[in-house]
Amino acid sequence: MKIAVLPGDGIGTEIVAEAVKVLDALDLDLEMESALVGGAAYEAHGHPLPEATLKLAKEADAILFGAVGDWKYDSLDRPLRPEQAILGLRKNLGLFANFRPAICYEQLVEASSLKRELVAGLDILIIRELTGDIYFGTPRGRRVSPDGHFPGAEEAFDTMRYSRPEIERIAHVAFQAARKRDRRVTSVDKANVLETFQLWKDVVTEVGKQYPDVALDHMYVDNAAMQLVKAPKKFDVIVTGNMFGDILSDAAAMLTGSIGMLPSASLNARNQGLYEPSHGSAPDIAGKGIANPLATILSAAMMLRFSLNQPDAADLIESAVKDVLASGLRTSDIYSQGTTQVGTIEMGDAVVAALAGTTKKTSKG
Ligand code: NAD
């Protein structure tokens, strides 16, 4: 089992080190090899996704990714910016299915921006299509407007598009994931306004007929945004396009208390996957040793489950994280009165200790 370890920039190096430490503590035959990506790769090799990094990623069974980006690269030409590395990996590896679970841990309910009764026990899964839609659709660009409200003015345009096979494959992923959960899929679209999403709705409905044991409903994206903050627990699996999924999954992230807790997986048709926390490189806290490594550690658990066929090891990590939270340890992003504040490394150490069954419950937890 070969893992490409791509820490990236900012807190990426700090949090990935903790996830690697946790993986090392498991009794598994894992081969891990690191490479530069993002701003760090640009500094060293002049490109955010050097050939050698891409080759390593392609050859690995799974990729453990930290985060990329820093404001200091904002003036670079777009193809050289750190974030292009992620788009390049998604495209080159065909990572079309993004899994973003949003789970509200009992111990963190008070950190949510919503009331306890709305989020306690929350466990939803957002499946976002990742390689199509308006983010990748062509044509796109800037030009002198040939028509519209202001002919002759400068304008910019992007293209929203989805093909039937693209929708079919992400729909299958969603229905199959729902079969392992509460067997409910909500497909989020904007079929009332957009041709692209009328096709989306039609195709998801057709695919749904192959899964009579899974309940399917459809929701417009504006209503879905509202329902996510009004009654999030009524969802089980949400499946949607690239842009709607981008926005809704960040909103769902905040329901759980902290973006520092949320893992994600991006899979291709061969179950090869890229695993990363849902947050970015957090330049504001990089180097301070205070970043929460749990989202990355939980991403490593998803990696073991989805790409490396080690569900027992994944369960071990997830229950170790719950034990650590129950023991009252918190990084600053999830700290509340009465808990014990720790740094990135101590949090990683605590998960390793919990794996070994040695975590002592603190009296405060
Ligand atoms: P961000 O997610 O990096 O940070 C948002 C806020 O959350 C910050 O206040 C940060 O301190 C906090 N935060 C994030 N992760 C945390 C953690 N693990 N522990 C504690 N606090 C945490 O988003 P941003 O500030 O909008 O973006 C910063 C950079 O990250 C940008 O360059 C952006 O392009 C990049 N980015 C990268 C990815 C990725 O690599 N997948 C995703 C999003 C943003």
Side-chain angles (χ1 to χ4, degrees), residues 11 67-70 83 86 260 276 279-285 291-292 333:
I11 61 168
V68 291
D70 190 293
E83 293 79 2
I86 305 187
E276 58 173 333
H279 57 74
S281 55
D284 54 334
I285 58 166
N292 186 346
D333 57 312

Side-chain angles (χ1 to χ4, degrees), residues 6 51 81 142-143 165 186 255 262 281 311 319 326 340 364:
L6 310 182
E51 274 303 315
R81 290 194 202 162
R142 286 191 188 210
R143 65 182 174 187
T186 302
L255 304 179
L262 289 177
S281 55
S319 68
T340 309
K364 291 173 179 173

Side-chain angles (χ1 to χ4, degrees), residues 71-270:
W71 302 305
K72 71 180 173 190
Y73 301 116
D74 282 357
S75 56
L76 283 178
D77 285 347
R78 195 167 292 281
L80 295 178
R81 290 194 202 162
E83 293 79 2
Q84 293 300 313
I86 305 187
L87 297 180
L89 284 166
R90 283 178 191 163
K91 205 170 169 180
N92 277 285
L93 276 72
L95 303 170
F96 70 92
N98 182 225
F99 287 61
R100 298 253 311 237
I103 296 172
C104 188
Y105 290 91
E106 175 54 31
Q107 295 83 5
L108 299 181
V109 167
E110 307 309 331
S112 171
S113 46
L114 294 194
K115 291 183 205 121
R116 163 176 275 278
E117 61 266 30
L118 293 183
V119 291
L122 178 78
D123 179 357
I124 62 179
L125 174 63
I126 298 188
I127 296 185
R128 165 186 169 198
E129 200 290 330
L130 207 54
T131 52
D133 205 348
I134 198 164
Y135 291 0
F136 288 94
T138 52
R140 58 187 285 164
R142 286 191 188 210
R143 65 182 174 187
V144 173
S145 178
D147 48 24
H149 294 299
F150 294 97
E154 183 187 15
E155 72 171 11
F157 62 102
D158 302 277
T159 303
M160 177 178 273
R161 55 193 283 186
Y162 267 124
S163 64
R164 176 174 283 272
E166 280 176 298
I167 304 168
E168 281 172 352
R169 65 182 182 176
I170 194 73
H172 280 293
V173 167
F175 286 111
Q176 283 163 19
R179 277 189 167 160
K180 296 181 189 147
R181 299 172 46 96
D182 202 31
R183 295 177 183 258
R184 291 182 292 120
V185 169
T186 302
S187 171
V188 172
D189 62 57
K190 192 71 184 168
N192 50 341
V193 181
L194 299 168
E195 290 298 331
T196 316
F197 276 93
Q198 184 59 57
L199 179 67
W200 176 282
K201 188 172 184 176
D202 294 347
V203 174
V204 174
T205 304
E206 282 169 35
V207 172
K209 293 191 178 127
Q210 297 173 42
Y211 299 87
D213 52 321
V214 178
L216 169 67
D217 70 336
H218 303 272
M219 201 178 273
Y220 296 138
V221 64
D222 38 352
N223 186 24
M226 194 167 76
Q227 297 303 328
L228 256 185
V229 290
K230 189 176 165 214
K233 284 195 274 187
K234 75 177 180 198
F235 294 107
D236 178 26
V237 173
I238 293 175
V239 62
T240 189
N242 204 345
M243 182 166 64
F244 297 160
D246 191 3
I247 299 164
L248 293 181
S249 58
D250 265 25
M254 277 327 291
L255 304 179
T256 68
S258 168
I259 199 154
M261 292 297 303
L262 289 177
S264 79
S266 306
L267 300 174
N268 65 19
R270 303 189 310 281

